[in-house]
Amino acid sequence: MANFATETERRPWLPLPPWARGTLVTLSSIAVTMLGLLFVTFLIGRVMPIDPVLAIVGERATEEQYNAVYRELGLDRSLAVQFFYYVTDVLRGDFGTSLLTARDVSTDIARVFPATFELATIGILFGCILGVPLGVIAAVRRGSWIDQIARVIALVGYSMPIFWLGLMGLLLFYGILGWVGGPGRQGIFYEDMIPSVTGMILIDSLIAGDWGAFRDAFSHIVLPASLLGYYSLAYISRMTRSFMLEQLSAEYVTTARVKGMSEWAVIWTHAFRNIRVQLITVIALSYANLLEGSVLTEIIFSWPGIGSYITTALLSADMNAVLGGTVVVGLVFICLNIFSDLLYKVFDPRSK
């Protein structure tokens, strides 16, 4: 007698609904990516030509002191055991103690990351609000003077060193014209006057209802955020133009125009709708780069963000701070990828 086993009996995972399987796959991917990130940062801490024990005890320490700290750090264990304890510590939010500040690295990161987040968020908003329309207009008016200006803006944004633009911006808008605030997040008068709720000065000043502090904070952030926004604008406008040119040459756009549809509807309802998923990827990558790649901007403008924190820690051989900051930056990329995947399902029906 033939065995007519049902599909469900042969494949017991089928009863899981599609959303559950998708969630399981996503969580597995996140876990593997996170484990790989921790493995890479662990190797960085072991191959760097910096002796963590010597950085703690100093060059004049005795051999007994050196060996005691060596065992206290767990460096006498095998690499597999060290990696296991490293992973468990990170999962508990324990990155160790910073040699520079003598505080927990997690506490330092919680203090400096909001500054970078605030700066990068304003920068990406600036880049999106101006870059996307500029790229669309440049594609629609291909070969016109608007297209030429957009291409020059993108070229300058890619080729001009940001440290030079930052210094020239400070000289012109702060030193000569006095239109913006100087380096730092706040002026001396408002320093440490606003209670920290979110760590972002603009939001905290609004919560406190101090409009003077808000104006002062905005005058300090507008120039560095504009510089970061300009670099994201150059990238976003260039990619938007490329995506739109591809869509505008498609047959469905020609068909829509032949049917008498308005040019506005052809551009924004049909062509632009089909590049939204691609734009999500571009904007997410640009945002991630601003969050982790604004080191020079933070140094030039004395902005106490995570980029300057990692750089200072690296120059001081503070490996706990370096590895903790690196893990946080990696988590930012992972979170932005997850958020992008969620937006894909919203804007692209084929991914549902």
Side-chain angles (χ1 to χ4, degrees), residues 124 235-236 239 243 275-289 333 336-337 339-341 343-344 347:
I124 197 64
Y235 177 58
I236 292 172
M239 298 306 296
F243 297 151
I275 71 168
R276 290 182 301 181
V277 173
Q278 296 167 295
L279 275 183
I280 289 173
T281 303
V282 170
I283 293 172
L285 289 175
S286 181
Y287 190 30
N289 288 330
F333 272 89
L336 285 175
N337 283 330
F339 184 66
S340 299
D341 290 340
L343 291 180
Y344 292 161
F347 292 109

Side-chain angles (χ1 to χ4, degrees), residues 126-142 144-155 230 232-242 244 268 272:
F126 178 85
C128 290
I129 292 173
L130 297 181
V132 173
L134 181 61
V136 172
I137 295 173
V140 174
R141 306 297 181 187
R142 183 179 184 180
S144 66
W145 61 272
I146 297 179
D147 185 25
Q148 300 300 327
I149 291 176
R151 295 171 68 179
V152 169
I153 290 175
L155 178 62
Y230 174 59
S232 64
L233 180 152
Y235 177 58
I236 292 172
S237 64
R238 176 175 172 270
M239 298 306 296
T240 302
R241 178 183 181 274
S242 176
M244 283 296 294
W268 295 103
F272 183 75

